[in-house]
Amino acid sequence: MPELPEVETIRRDLAPQVQGRRVASVEVLWERSIAVPPAPEFVGRLTGRTITGVDRRGKFLLLRLDQNETLAVHLRMTGRLLYRPAGAAPDPHLRVRIVFEGGDELRFTDQRKFGRLYLLDPSGLDTLFARLGPEPLDAAAGREQFLALLRQRRGALKPLLLNQATIAGLGNIYVNESLFRAGLHPLRRAETLTEEERARLYNAVRETLQAAIAHGGTSIATFLSALGSSGRNQDYLLVHQRAGQPCPRCGTPIARIVVAGRGTFFCPRCQPLP
DNA sequence: CATTACCTGCAA
DNA sequence: TTGCAGGTAATG
């Protein structure tokens, strides 16, 4: 489900609720939701920890804990992190329940069971992040790193941008939207880009993500923030899932093809293949 | 590169 | 019944 803007929305909603809270008990209802360590050890090490902060790296949400531990959560397609007050009604597809002192809960629910939780020490975190590219919303360093990677990589832009090693946090929605904003065809090959086009792509990625965060994320099918609210960015999508509808810039019908196995939406006129 | 596997639910 | 869905690791 969520890409960078959705994870960032969850982070912002969740942080004030869980900051400083101590974990009283943990219940794992679907063991494979725990990537590492094995579920019994996961429960033992997480119980008694206090949450000191909430961060994000790419699509990973990071709950910082005392004892130098971090609970990293990747929601994949349908995962949700829901903060629920004590005694709240059950949620469907509950996989992991984290109960705080006082009875409030953080619930990990996941219809398709692709999402994963990782309880890691600092070196484990380094390993997890080793293959992540730059943070698109970070300042100058991220820009240079991204432009450098684009200069050396070859092949179609769409699979390149879906690869988290190129830039961290993009998924299908925001790759489609970013390429439209940049006026670049999804099958355009990276090695044919001009420096001006590379810069345009970088700027388009940032504008697309920042707008989506400002709208609280995109709720097409299943995304909910930590407090259970939907995002509004689905009302602002320019091309994603809009096949046959007029391009917002020129009126040409939006096309749909499959690239990298994913539905790919673009304007044939605004995003020509040279 | 593309395809498959991991899973479930919904719409066509 | 088939195809599709916002992800990614493994495989060809």
Side-chain angles (χ1 to χ4, degrees):
Chain A
M1 121 195 178
E3 307 175 32
L4 185 153
E6 290 73 42
V7 179
E8 179 62 20
T9 298
I10 291 170
R11 190 192 69 76
R12 293 178 182 189
D13 279 359
L14 198 57
Q17 307 294 330
V18 301
Q19 189 98 244
R21 304 293 293 274
R22 188 164 181 270
V23 176
S25 63
V26 179
E27 187 182 358
V28 176
L29 296 99
W30 182 256
E31 293 215 351
R32 271 180 281 172
S33 293
I34 311 300
V36 65
E41 183 187 341
F42 176 89
V43 170
R45 266 167 61 191
L46 186 52
T47 303
R49 295 283 68 71
T50 296
I51 297 179
T52 59
V54 186
D55 296 324
R56 179 190 58 72
R57 173 77 170 100
K59 300 175 190 173
F60 288 97
L61 187 85
L62 306 174
L63 296 173
R64 306 292 187 179
L65 309 168
D66 63 345
Q67 312 263 333
N68 225 358
E69 301 247 48
T70 301
L71 177 59
V73 181
H74 198 305
L75 300 168
R76 296 281 184 101
M77 296 288 267
T78 57
R80 291 174 174 170
L81 269 183
L82 297 168
Y83 182 83
R84 298 297 195 200
D91 284 295
H93 314 299
L94 180 67
R95 309 301 179 199
V96 179
R97 179 203 310 273
I98 297 172
V99 184
F100 298 112
E101 289 181 345
D104 295 347
E105 299 180 3
L106 184 59
R107 296 176 181 173
F108 173 71
T109 75
D110 190 7
Q111 178 192 114
R112 289 173 69 178
K113 302 176 175 173
F114 290 166
R116 292 292 181 266
L117 276 57
Y118 309 72
L119 184 58
L120 300 168
D121 63 15
S123 79
L125 259 195
D126 283 348
T127 305
L128 191 65
F129 295 160
R131 292 187 309 181
L132 285 188
E135 276 295 315
L137 299 185
D138 273 4
R143 174 192 164 90
E144 279 320 303
Q145 215 181 326
F146 176 67
L147 293 177
L149 279 166
L150 266 191
R151 283 183 206 111
Q152 73 190 55
R153 302 293 300 278
R154 316 168 51 78
L157 286 178
K158 169 123 196 204
L160 209 57
L161 293 173
L162 285 172
N163 184 344
Q164 300 300 295
T166 310
I167 189 163
L170 291 185
N172 201 34
I173 293 180
Y174 298 115
V175 169
N176 286 332
E177 296 290 299
S178 297
L179 287 170
F180 174 76
R181 280 189 194 242
L184 295 170
H185 193 288
L187 293 176
R188 180 72 185 277
R189 302 188 67 82
E191 64 270 27
T192 71
L193 291 178
T194 65
E195 193 60 23
E196 192 272 328
E197 287 172 321
R198 278 188 286 268
R200 217 200 297 157
L201 179 55
Y202 176 75
N203 291 334
V205 166
R206 287 174 57 99
E207 287 163 15
T208 298
L209 295 177
Q210 279 161 346
I213 291 171
H215 295 137
T218 301
S219 295
I220 290 180
T222 62
F223 169 66
L224 293 179
S225 177
L227 301 180
S229 54
S230 295
R232 291 165 283 108
N233 198 59
Q234 62 276 13
D235 300 331
Y236 299 88
L237 296 176
L238 304 172
V239 294
H240 184 77
Q241 290 198 349
R242 297 179 60 85
Q245 299 181 50
C247 166
R249 189 180 295 153
C250 77
T252 300
I254 297 300
R256 180 189 188 276
I257 59 176
V258 174
V259 181
R262 320 300 305 276
T264 299
F265 303 84
F266 67 103
C267 172
R269 186 165 165 199
C270 296
Q271 299 166 264
L273 254 190

